[in-house]
Amino acid sequence: MATRWSRRSLLGIGAGAGAALMGRPALAQTYPTRPIRFIVGYAPGGTTDLLARLIAEPLSRRLGQQVLVENRPGAANNIGTDAVVRAEADGYTILLTNPANAINDSLYKKLSFNFQRDIAPVAGITRSPNIMEISPKLPVKTVAEFITYCKANPDKVNMASSGVGTSVHMSGELFKAMTGVKMVHVPYRGAGPAITDLLAGNADVLFDNLPSSIGHVRSGSLRALAVTTAERSPTLPDISTVAETVPGYEASAWFGIGAPRKTPPELIARLNREVNEILVDPAMEKKLGDLGGAPLRLSPEAFGALIGEEVEKWRKVVAFSGATVD
């Protein structure tokens, strides 16, 4: 039997829907009313942590609420990402996204989430090369000399990384696959501990994100052999590219912000607008440039498209390297 609706019921539904629609812009206008958690999937001291704190300070001022960086290291960024996937989609929990999120899509076989499905793209922050750097104790000064040294000492060179499946790790795996050298991968819980061991000579090489290593390179405490992008970095124009020795080699690091997938689009739009305004600031552009990166000002849709491209790119690299994690 067909259900009969009274005119009063229909008017009530219409009024309720209208109030909900009218309330959505108001939600964006009043948001936020309490502090926002900014989850970083790595230990303090690495590139992701550094960039999150760099953005959190001006974002706090613009939003009128504290944006609190919370480090949730472990499982190559997956613990932090899972925490955001499971969080309330209310705009009060956001994620520092990076290439590991794209890499893990194919590297890990039993993830509890799907990054592209469960994390909504919010805004880009920056993109920069990785840098191939070695301990000064290693007796080489060029990429070619490094390859020769590795081939003369198979499985005796320790390749540090900021964790299994990070862009730092996969940049090194791609190098191994394309050159045929054999190195022992030593994963750390973030770039900070990896750099510490590289400085101490306990590790030999690191394909680190440029922002967390550039200070050590400039001071001479670490020896830079090359950057991983196809072209030289304007920040370090005298440093060659890996591709100048290994044709076709290319890798880069991107960083941005994501949120739980059901986060209201008006809140995502608000965050995107505020972050892009921060990135337009010449002072911020200079800070990112000093770290070796360039602002990545994108709409949520464009940032999502970039993530999709990265997922497919690294899927091929993971297959090429044979790396996998259960």
Side-chain angles (χ1 to χ4, degrees), residues 15 37 47 50-51 59 71 92 118 133 138 187 198 200 213 224 234 239 256 277 284 300 303 307:
R37 292 194 307 156
T47 298
L50 187 157
L51 288 171
L59 188 57
N71 297 93
Y92 290 95
D118 296 331
E133 58 196 13
L138 214 62
L198 194 66
S213 282
I239 305 298
E277 286 294 325
M284 178 58 69
F303 186 43
I307 289 171

Side-chain angles (χ1 to χ4, degrees), residues 56-257:
E57 182 180 355
L59 188 57
S60 296
R61 291 197 302 268
R62 294 187 67 89
L63 292 174
Q65 290 286 343
Q66 285 294 309
V67 178
L68 304 173
V69 175
E70 182 179 320
N71 297 93
R72 300 287 294 270
N77 198 50
N78 289 327
I79 289 177
T81 302
D82 184 67
V84 177
V85 168
R86 295 174 182 274
E88 290 293 326
D90 55 7
Y92 290 95
T93 304
I94 57 177
L95 174 71
L96 195 292
T97 59
N98 65 91
N101 292 119
I103 294 167
N104 291 348
D105 184 78
S106 53
L107 184 73
Y108 282 77
K109 305 306 178 186
K110 298 179 181 179
L111 285 177
S112 61
F113 59 85
N114 180 292
F115 176 62
Q116 286 186 278
R117 181 195 66 205
D118 296 331
I119 294 292
V122 174
I125 296 176
T126 187
R127 194 165 196 169
S128 64
N130 287 349
I131 185 164
M132 182 183 179
E133 58 196 13
I134 61 171
S135 165
K137 295 181 180 181
L138 214 62
V140 301
K141 294 184 178 180
T142 67
V143 174
E145 289 179 2
F146 181 83
I147 294 171
T148 299
Y149 181 84
C150 287
K151 289 187 174 180
N153 299 275
D155 291 324
K156 293 182 179 180
V157 173
N158 289 332
M159 182 188 78
S161 82
S162 53
V164 176
T166 60
S167 70
V168 176
H169 172 207
M170 295 310 297
S171 293
E173 289 294 340
L174 180 58
F175 183 85
K176 289 165 62 177
M178 294 184 71
T179 61
V181 302
K182 295 182 179 180
M183 299 185 286
V184 178
H185 175 223
V186 183
Y188 290 80
R189 291 172 67 87
I195 291 171
T196 298
D197 261 16
L198 194 66
L199 289 167
N202 297 324
D204 299 309
V205 63
L206 177 67
F207 289 77
D208 194 28
N209 302 142
L210 188 53
S212 55
S213 282
I214 193 168
H216 298 292
V217 169
R218 285 174 169 163
S219 70
S221 55
L222 291 178
R223 182 180 299 154
L225 297 185
V227 294
T228 62
T229 40
E231 298 179 354
R232 295 193 179 197
S233 168
T235 307
L236 297 171
D238 295 332
I239 305 298
S240 67
T241 67
V242 174
E244 289 174 38
T245 303
V246 186
Y249 182 97
E250 193 279 333
S252 60
W254 51 268
F255 304 88
I257 297 173

